[in-house]
């Protein structure tokens, strides 16, 4: 024999009740089943609403009653096809509803709703639903009996939350079922009668309690609780889409998860079956074939995972009682908890420092103000003598807990939890762990709950797949290439590196769009066309508001204003990847500040593309320095743009046309003066000098210009190009000199003995720079370990594809750590 309980959405509509009946029809073929049902979904609230309106002399209570009547009649219409049977059921239901209406009329007249009357009022819901369901089952030709639970369950007179007289109740249940041979027996849940025959109800979770009492009294095979979810989940599936049903739990694990927010079970109501070691199965009415969750005495869940689930409670206030006068003085805890008990305030979490200097407790936020007043009054003498401080109240908090019987057998569980939260800038305000080591609870800001649940779930339950959330600003040539490369590699990264790379924010100087779930990269352009107006501040604020774990801001612009936001991102634990050189080549103090923020907030700041596009130049330098080598000098061609220009310029092709070609093919900035002035190369060698540990500013880099004064003083790009034509003889002279000396023209950056300079050089044949083709870059690191034969990094140093791949490499580097 099995006991099944259906409530909430399971009996919320005719369609769902049909599913219930289908389940019962299937189970009753092999087992007798006792079915406990609650009121039709939402009716309890409607009954209370109607009663309150009646008490408050609002004539609209009649309308509220009519809605209750219509709801039940509509459900009957949807359940029973036979016309005469339907009329019979409606007639009885209307008779019961007439009694309800008379009760509401009485409330309207006497202007009072007592607990005793509340119980009588609420009993209508379960009585009506159980009658309608039993008659519907009977109309299907199934063997069914209806028994009023008020004739079985005996309680005290504590209305709205009555305590059961176990002995009398068990005797009644056993006596009835000894003579009941029906395949299906329907019982209304929640309702009962006192020893004096008064209507009573069983309080919160009352229908579960009814089912558990019956199951324990008859020592049945199992108790099934049917809901709208497929069992107890690893965490809240509304907040964590990767959450999955837990196959098996021990009673203790289920109770812990339920206490900390899992709504499927209310722990006190299932105690009777726990005492009898009767298994509980949580099933989904809407998906009856799903396995659900099996809860029993055994602690195994068919897996080696130490953590079985993650739960949370929102709207928590943290109260701290502290002061030097507490140290070594007994009785403070007793007085604190007595005060809260007298105020009927439930304590959810307790933690105390070993120094005895403070006690922290977590309570419901709604009780915080009353608790503060009561505690301050209790300790007013100690407060006046400055032995302790007035109680400190912190609101807008939440508790997140991990639960598992096997946690005590696994070292490092708490470390993994705290590390995962810390890496995502989730600040822990308090920690509590019981001696059983079955539960580790932390208090965090309420705004961080979703991020925390996703972070912890990813750490303990997902197949080492790490979700990375990208906010990309700047979707010009390089930005679009980056998105294309990410789209191409998404599946590979997920399958081979266990990285779930998602783009959740995209912007340029005009528009911005966001998607919490990540954009479909096949359609992002069409979505972006209809995006709202963007702003640098708005993009930053939205990224912070979304508060996603493992977030990375990717700057694919050359904007100083965008670079000024890096500090804000890093402080919010959002990593920064940039090809924008301004932050790292601007004021040294800002460069250093960003490095310090990255370290302080554990938010990486990577900018490999600042120097060599996709070439690992900065990374190579860092590895040399980290390994203890000392870089003595650097010689480099760092401008793919200038290398392209001087590789294509000759006495047969004028300088103006060569620069135009470089711009057309994407090798220069929209304003080529930035590339040709040498400032861009100066910034790059400055960055390398700083990465080598040198304190330098851009003004410390000597720039030897090869442009004429007219070129440098041009007012616009068009004026600049005009000046190139006028000064062609100057450039041909440079070319002729190099040709006469059998040399190649290269724009070279040098760093040695703490000084840096950039300028055009004639490179002789045989030098590593001589045969540097196209847009290639080359860097030669002379170090104590490489004094004569330098360490050389060489390859394409310009172009949208390679720059995008450099950004991509930095993103993967962060994701892999």
């Amino acid at each position: 024999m099995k006991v099944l309980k259906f409530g909430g959405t399971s009996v919320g509509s005719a369609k769902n009740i049909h599913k219930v009946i289908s389940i019962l029809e299937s189970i009753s073929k092999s087992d007798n089943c006792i079915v406990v049902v609650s009121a039709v979904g939402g009716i309890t609230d409607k009954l209370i609403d109607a009663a309150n309106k009646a008490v408050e002399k609002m004539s609209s209570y009649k309308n509220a009653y009519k809605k209750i009547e219509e709801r039940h009649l509509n459900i009957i219409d949807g359940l029973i096809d036979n016309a005469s049977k339907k009329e019979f059921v409606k007639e009885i239901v209307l008779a019961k509803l007439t009694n309800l209406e008379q009760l509401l009329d009485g409330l309207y007249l006497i202007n009072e709703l007592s607990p005793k009357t509340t119980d009588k009022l609420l009993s209508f819901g379960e009585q009506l639903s159980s009658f309608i369901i039993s008659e519907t089952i009977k109309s299907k030709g199934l063997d069914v009996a209806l028994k009023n639970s008020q004739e079985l369950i005996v309680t005290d007179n504590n209305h709205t939350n009555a305590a059961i007289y176990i002995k009398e109740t068990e005797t009644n249940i056993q006596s009835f079922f000894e003579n009941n041979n029906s395949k299906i027996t329907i019982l209304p849940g929640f309702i009962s009668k006192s020893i004096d025959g008064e209507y009573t109800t069983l309080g919160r979770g009352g229908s579960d309690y009814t089912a558990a009492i019956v199951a324990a009294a008859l020592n049945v095979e199992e108790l099934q609780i049917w809901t709208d979810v497929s069992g107890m989940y690893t965490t809240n599936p509304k907040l964590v889409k990767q959450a999955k049903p837990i196959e098996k739990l021990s009673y203790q694990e289920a109770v812990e998860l339920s206490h900390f927010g899992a709504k499927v079970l209310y722990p006190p109501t299932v105690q009777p079956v726990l005492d009898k070691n009767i298994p509980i199965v949580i099933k989904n009415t809407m998906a009856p074939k799903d396995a659900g969750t099996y809860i029993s005495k055994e602690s195994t869940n068919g897996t080696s995972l130490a953590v079985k689930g993650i739960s949370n409670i929102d709207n928590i206030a943290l109260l701290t009682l502290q002061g030097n006068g507490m140290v070594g003085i007994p009785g403070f805890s007793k007085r604190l908890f007595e005060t809260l008990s007298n105020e009927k305030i439930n304590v959810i979490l307790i933690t105390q420092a070993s120094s005895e200097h403070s006690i922290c407790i977590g309570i419901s936020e709604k009780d915080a103000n009353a608790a503060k007043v009561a505690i301050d009054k209790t300790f007013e003498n100690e407060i006046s003598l400055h032995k302790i401080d007035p109680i400190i109240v912190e609101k807008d908090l939440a508790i997140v807990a991990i639960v598992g019987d096997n946690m005590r057998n696994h070292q490092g569980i708490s470390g993994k939890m705290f590390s995962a939260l810390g890496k995502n800038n989730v600040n822990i305000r308090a920690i509590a762990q019981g001696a059983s080591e079955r539960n580790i609870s932390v208090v965090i800001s309420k705004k961080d709950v979703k991020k925390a649940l996703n972070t912890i779930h990813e750490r303990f339950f997902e197949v080492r797949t790490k979700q990375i959330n990208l906010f990309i600003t700047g979707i010009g040539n390089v930005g679009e290439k980056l998105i294309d490369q990410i789209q191409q590699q998404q599946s590979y990264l997920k399958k081979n590196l266990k990285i779930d790379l998602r783009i959740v924010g995209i912007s340029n100087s005009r528009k911005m769009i966001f998607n919490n779930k990540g954009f479909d990269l096949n359609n992002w352009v069409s979505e972006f066309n209809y995006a709202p107006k963007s702003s640098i501040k708005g993009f930053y604020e939205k990224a912070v508001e979304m508060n996603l774990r493992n977030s990375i801001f990717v700057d694919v612009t050359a904007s100083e204003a965008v670079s000024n936001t890096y500090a804000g991102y890093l402080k919010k634990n959002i990593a920064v990847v940039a090809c924008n050189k301004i932050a790292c080549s601007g004021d040294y103090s800002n460069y250093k500040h960003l490095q310090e923020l990255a370290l302080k907030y554990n938010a990486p700041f990577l900018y490999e593309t600042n120097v060599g596009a996709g070439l690992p130049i900065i990374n190579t330098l860092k590895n040399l320095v980290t390994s203890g080598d000392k870089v003595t000098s650097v010689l480099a061609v760092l401008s793919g743009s200038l290398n392209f220009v001087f590789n294509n310029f000759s006495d047969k092709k004028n300088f103006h046309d060569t620069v135009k070609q470089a711009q057309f093919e994407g090798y220069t900035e929209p304003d080529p003066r930035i590339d040709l002035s040498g400032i861009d190369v100066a910034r790059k060698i400055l960055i390398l000098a700083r990465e080598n540990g040198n304190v330098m500013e851009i003004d410390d880099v000597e720039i030897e210009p090869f442009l004429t004064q007219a070129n440098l003083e041009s007012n616009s790009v068009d004026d600049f190009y005009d000046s190139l034509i006028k000064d062609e003889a100057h450039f041909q002279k440079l070319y002729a000199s190099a040709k006469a000396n059998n040399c190649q023209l290269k724009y070279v950056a040098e760093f040695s003995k703490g000084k840096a300079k950039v300028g055009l050089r004639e490179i002789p044949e045989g030098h590593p720079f001589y045969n540097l083709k196209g847009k290639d870059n080359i860097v030669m690191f002379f170090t104590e370990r490489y004094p004569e034969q330098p360490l050389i990094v060489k390859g394409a140093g310009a172009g949208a594809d390679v720059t995008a791949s450099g950004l991509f490499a930095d993103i993967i580097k962060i994701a892999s750590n």
Side-chain angles (χ1 to χ4, degrees), residues 64 347 371 462 695 767:
V347 177
E462 295 168 33
V695 179
H767 191 281

Side-chain angles (χ1 to χ4, degrees), residues 51 142 199 294 312 442 469 474 499 542 583 620 772:
L142 300 176
Y199 285 8
Y294 186 85
N312 68 285
V442 296
N469 296 292
I499 294 171
K542 184 64 178 178
T620 300
L772 198 63

Side-chain angles (χ1 to χ4, degrees), residues 233-237 239-246 305 307-310 400 402 417 420-421 450-465 549:
Y233 277 67
T234 47
T235 192
N236 186 341
L239 298 178
V240 182
K241 69 176 184 179
Q242 292 87 1
K244 52 193 175 185
I246 305 169
L305 291 176
V307 177
K308 304 288 186 66
I310 311 161
V400 171
I402 58 173
M417 179 187 187
L421 293 174
K450 184 176 180 180
K451 185 201 281 190
L453 292 178
N454 277 277
T455 297
I456 299 170
H457 194 272
E458 182 179 80
R459 181 65 186 83
F460 288 106
F461 291 101
E462 295 168 33
V463 191
R464 297 190 305 278
T465 299
R549 68 193 188 279

